[in-house]
Amino acid sequence: MLAGVQSDPARRRRPTMRDVAQLADVSFKTVSRVVNDEPGVSAALTVRVRRAIDELGFHPHPGARLLRTDGRTSAIALLLEDVANPYSAAVQRAVENEARERGVVVFSASIDEDPARERALAREFGGRRVDGLVLAPAGDDQSYLADELPAGTPVVCVDREARDLAVDSVITTNALGAAEGVRHLAAAGHRRIAFLGDRRSIRTAEQRFAGYREALASLGLPLDAGLVVHDLRESADADGAVTALLAGPDPPTALFTAQNLITIGAVRALRRLGAEWAVALVGFDDVLLGDLLSPGITVVAQDPVAIGRTAATLLFSRIGGDTSPPGVRLVPTTLIRRGSGELPPR
């Protein structure tokens, strides 16, 4: 048994690189080179070190990676609105898939649309010297990242463009997608189309409302303020908003819901009121199991997998030394017809 390692599991200490060096009968520097995948170690010595690592159950401390000559930690940070949201979860998984192929670990957290939390988390991960950051901005100013992150740490924004910071961004064609959804409802004969949106302070909500307005204008339809509801934070809020709209003297014949949780709340209201076949619906963002309902939910679907994959590819390119001017990558939406958006007005 290795000296210094107690037989009692409750008292056993974590093996170190010096323990590995002692067991493999090599120098500390040799172990360091093997752990950090550096050249200069023969195949025979590498095998001995790997065997000692496996026997001891050694795991390098993340901070030890800073000893690498390039200063990288083989870790990136991913800050999204809410990792529990299906959209964010799909982005996260796509980023993880790209990172895993490169032997990089991903640390993720939810910002909860809180600019202060965004900045605090960026500071925290910056202190841990991650190699790069993928961020869904919540605040109106990302210039603070120049101070919060170590110099040279690349940033790629997803879902929304950064403000006051020249970095790459990967975003959905929000206005175009929303306009397509509204025109689709109009093509079915609808003229009173309600808009149910997220918080107006969120740039994507603003862009989707702009698409709604532009579509109405192009169709020659008036913008009725009585059919517009903003600042819906949860599905329960949307449920209440739809209930109130349909109880009015001149209710809408169709709904455009500008976010997946809002769509869920709207569907619940329609089904509770027995109106799921009477009121048409197109939602922005796909909804889990939306194709299994009756009618199925017609959606303007984003491609979160493409967004996450593109963002990760850009980030690793920057980490690798790409110094080309930053830009905005647009990922198009897709209208998926399932039944709810094709209902005619009654």
Side-chain angles (χ1 to χ4, degrees), residues 55-329:
E55 182 176 338
L56 292 171
F58 168 74
H59 299 284
H61 189 280
R65 292 193 179 273
L66 292 175
L67 297 176
R68 292 172 46 169
T69 57
D70 59 10
R72 296 180 188 167
T73 59
S74 294
I76 62 172
L78 174 63
L79 302 182
L80 299 172
E81 175 188 354
D82 179 3
V83 296
N85 184 288
Y87 167 83
S88 295
V91 172
Q92 176 177 337
R93 184 53 188 263
V95 172
E96 287 182 357
N97 288 345
E98 293 296 318
R100 184 171 58 232
E101 292 180 1
R102 296 167 172 82
V104 174
V105 67
V106 179
F107 298 117
S108 60
S110 300
I111 296 175
D112 297 330
E113 293 296 351
D114 183 348
R117 181 171 172 81
E118 172 194 326
R119 182 162 186 163
L121 287 169
R123 180 188 304 116
E124 178 68 23
F125 285 125
R128 295 175 184 271
R129 299 188 64 83
V130 293
D131 295 335
L133 171 65
V134 177
L135 169 69
D140 291 330
D141 180 7
Q142 278 69 54
S143 62
Y144 71 88
L145 287 170
D147 297 323
E148 300 293 1
L149 296 177
T153 302
V155 177
V156 174
C157 287
V158 294
D159 199 36
R160 308 153 196 177
E161 294 180 55
R163 292 187 177 179
D164 300 317
L165 186 72
V167 297
D168 296 301
S169 298
V170 183
I171 62 175
T172 293
T173 51
N174 288 292
L176 291 175
E180 183 181 18
V182 173
R183 285 195 296 267
H184 183 70
L185 289 167
H190 296 279
R191 295 298 177 265
R192 290 188 58 75
I193 304 170
F195 175 89
L196 293 94
D198 208 329
R199 282 165 281 188
R200 281 172 286 188
S201 60
I202 299 175
R203 272 165 276 170
T204 51
E206 177 185 347
Q207 292 166 349
R208 293 169 196 176
F209 183 55
Y212 168 82
R213 294 196 313 268
E214 292 164 6
L216 292 182
S218 69
L219 294 165
L221 299 176
L223 177 62
D224 186 343
L227 296 180
V228 175
V229 184
H230 293 291
D231 300 322
L232 301 174
R233 296 170 178 256
E234 301 175 355
S235 61
D237 298 332
D239 187 329
V242 170
T243 301
L245 285 169
L246 297 184
D250 191 9
T253 63
L255 308 175
F256 179 76
T257 51
Q259 193 245 32
N260 55 4
L261 296 181
I262 295 173
T263 301
I264 291 171
V267 169
R268 285 175 177 164
L270 292 176
R271 296 183 71 84
R272 190 184 66 256
L273 297 170
E276 67 269 27
W277 288 99
V279 179
L281 169 69
V282 172
F284 200 107
D285 287 340
D286 207 351
V287 178
L288 185 65
L289 304 181
D291 59 327
L292 300 182
L293 296 176
S294 183
I297 303 175
T298 296
V299 296
V300 176
Q302 300 190 77
D303 191 345
V305 174
I307 291 171
R309 182 172 58 243
T310 302
T313 301
L314 283 170
L315 186 72
F316 288 120
S317 177
R318 296 296 185 187
I319 292 172
D322 181 3
T323 59
S324 61
V328 177
R329 303 290 181 91

